[in-house]
Amino acid sequence: MASWEVIAKESEAILAKPDIKGCYEYLQKAYEGGATHPEVLWRLGRACYEMAEEITDASAQEPFLLKGLELVQQSVNEDGNNFASHKWLGILLSAQHVSTKEKIANAYKIKEQFLKAVELNPADATSLHCMGNWCASVLKVSWLERKAAALLFGEPPSSTPEECLKYLLASAEAGDTIHNAKMIGDMYKQQGNKEEARKWYTKAVGMPADTELKKRNHDAAEKALSQL
């Protein structure tokens, strides 16, 4: 059996092609062959998430998302100082198809994981984006859901547009992505800053869209740009 270092390097090379299915199949085979190092576990969890993101049918996504969550949780349990494990635990928790009550309960856990990832690696663009995305999600919570959260947990999750932009812009500086650029455009649009919104939507549209998720973000940015 190859070392975890070799498995990690090869899986990253496959994903960079990009070949999401190939990466998943390679890591799954390694895992079935006994490769259970935390660096392999979180990468297989990420591959499960990436596979789910290529599918639009929620029922088909669920097995990948549940499996991915289990793998990254195991990775965190085995190495609590691995920023990527915490990041992907937050991402997989965010992606679960659960009730509104569970989503509210998970919001606190998700924030904790993303903040831990940022603490362990402040220069990781994805962790910073995830915190920005968390802030944006909280800002979308309805009054009714916020009241329910207050009744259930005492203090509902909260954020501000300024906090959201702080993380998204830091992510852009660390290494921008089409999703991040599109979200920055969204935040500026919500604030009525059309000039900045146009700048970031244009940047998103100009980025490569070589996966289904990137294509969806490209199309959304293009549509938003045409409506400014």
Side-chain angles (χ1 to χ4, degrees):
M1 183 179 67
S3 67
W4 73 260
E5 292 96 338
V6 170
I7 294 168
K9 185 177 180 180
E10 180 62 23
S11 68
E12 294 295 336
I14 297 169
L15 187 60
K17 288 182 180 180
D19 183 359
I20 290 170
K21 185 179 180 183
C23 181
Y24 169 77
E25 290 175 345
Y26 174 79
L27 286 166
Q28 180 62 29
K29 185 177 180 181
Y31 177 71
E32 290 172 355
T36 57
H37 190 279
E39 290 284 349
V40 175
L41 294 175
W42 76 253
R43 282 180 169 84
L44 181 52
R46 176 185 63 182
C48 289
Y49 173 84
E50 298 280 6
M51 287 291 288
E53 284 297 308
E54 293 294 289
I55 305 166
T56 53
D57 178 12
S59 61
Q61 287 179 331
E62 193 165 6
F64 285 113
L65 295 176
L66 289 171
K67 178 182 175 181
L69 179 61
E70 183 181 337
L71 288 161
V72 293
Q73 181 65 72
Q74 187 181 344
S75 181
V76 167
N77 292 344
E78 294 186 16
D79 183 5
N81 291 315
N82 188 320
F83 84 93
S85 299
H86 287 284
K87 172 175 67 179
W88 283 99
L89 179 53
I91 291 171
L92 266 300
L93 274 170
S94 302
Q96 298 303 307
H97 301 155
V98 294
S99 67
T100 299
K101 181 180 178 181
E102 286 176 285
K103 281 184 180 179
I104 294 168
N106 282 346
Y108 302 92
K109 300 175 188 175
I110 292 163
K111 182 181 183 182
E112 181 183 343
Q113 296 305 318
F114 290 153
L115 285 176
K116 186 65 176 178
V118 171
E119 176 192 327
L120 291 168
N121 188 352
D124 181 59
T126 308
S127 298
L128 291 163
H129 168 80
C130 287
M131 263 311 301
N133 191 46
W134 183 89
C135 294
S137 298
V138 168
L139 289 170
K140 292 175 186 174
V141 173
S142 70
W143 178 86
L144 195 59
E145 289 171 325
R146 201 171 290 280
K147 290 291 285 184
L151 288 171
L152 290 167
F153 306 106
E155 175 104 13
S158 62
S159 185
T160 64
E162 291 74 22
E163 183 184 26
C164 180
L165 272 172
K166 178 188 80 171
Y167 284 112
L168 294 177
L169 290 169
S171 176
E173 190 173 336
D176 209 10
T177 64
I178 188 170
H179 188 197
N180 194 69
K182 186 256 177 189
M183 281 195 68
I184 293 173
D186 289 343
M187 290 307 302
Y188 278 124
K189 182 180 179 181
Q190 287 171 28
Q191 292 183 324
N193 190 335
K194 290 187 177 182
E195 185 179 345
E196 282 296 315
R198 184 175 291 106
K199 168 186 163 183
W200 286 95
Y201 285 142
T202 301
K203 185 177 284 191
V205 169
M207 291 180 179
D210 49 15
T211 68
E212 288 303 315
L213 178 59
K214 288 178 182 178
K215 287 172 187 172
R216 290 199 295 272
N217 278 293
H218 174 277
D219 292 347
E222 198 169 49
K223 182 179 179 181
L225 187 58
S226 70
Q227 294 174 343
L228 284 177

